[in-house]
Amino acid sequence: MLVDGVSYDVSFQDGSCIEVFSGCDSPQDFFFPVPLDALHASLALGDQVFLGDFDSNPGLINGCTDDFLCSAWTPYTVGQFGPVDAFLYSNVSDESSDTLSAGAEARDSSLARAPRDVWAVWSLSAVDVPEPATLGLLATGLLGLWAARRKRARPQPAPTAR
């Protein structure tokens, strides 16, 4: 899915924030530590993921067991007193009722206790991850330029008189 022109993969997981996000005690634990980026990602969930079958049956979303409502939380920071700040996109089977809102959740509580809540876990899509071959081609090109310059810079022997 695209968020601000960058391709991402998203999965949905149950569990506490600590379990899903490696401790959940720092903004660096989250893929989008900037609120505006998390907001755009949550909006993209509504526009690009929660469509078609997912929109009319939220229970098809991994981790959601409620056929009427599923809320996907995209966390971005840990508040001063421990709650996790997140945007949540709520997908309701009635297509006109989908909403985006802000929320907070305790780090150690499990959203799984509510059959309608899951964490949105984001990662860069393989499309946007550079291939290792690219670095090899770049290195080969630079090595070739270095060799050509060195050959040109080598002093030529003086002509001998006959």
Side-chain angles (χ1 to χ4, degrees):
M1 69 181 293
L2 287 176
V3 179
D4 295 333
V6 178
S7 184
Y8 295 96
D9 292 326
V10 64
S11 64
F12 303 103
Q13 295 184 18
D14 291 330
S16 71
C17 186
I18 291 172
E19 295 167 347
V20 175
F21 293 103
S22 304
C24 192
D25 53 1
S26 165
Q28 285 74 31
D29 291 339
F30 310 126
F31 196 82
F32 297 108
V34 177
L36 188 60
D37 294 341
L39 172 66
H40 289 174
S42 293
L43 287 169
L45 278 177
D47 293 341
Q48 300 172 43
V49 175
F50 294 146
L51 299 173
D53 291 338
F54 291 115
D55 204 15
S56 59
N57 187 358
L60 294 176
I61 297 166
N62 184 49
C64 283
T65 56
D66 186 328
D67 290 334
F68 178 71
L69 170 68
C70 183
S71 295
W73 293 61
T74 300
Y76 57 88
T77 194
V78 178
Q80 180 179 4
F81 301 107
V84 177
D85 294 330
F87 288 104
L88 56 147
Y89 191 91
S90 297
N91 182 29
V92 182
S93 61
D94 173 9
E95 295 177 15
S96 63
S97 301
D98 292 355
T99 59
L100 176 72
S101 56
E105 180 71 16
R107 293 179 332 117
D108 58 352
S109 70
S110 175
L111 288 174
R113 71 180 184 284
R116 64 180 180 270
D117 291 339
V118 293
W119 294 105
V121 180
W122 297 84
S123 62
L124 277 177
S125 176
V127 174
D128 284 350
V129 177
E131 294 181 27
T134 304
L135 293 176
L137 288 171
L138 178 63
T140 303
L142 291 174
L143 184 64
L145 289 172
W146 173 78
R149 183 173 179 166
R150 186 167 182 206
K151 184 177 180 181
R152 230 182 304 146
R154 189 178 297 164
Q156 300 294 325
T160 56
R162 289 192 188 186

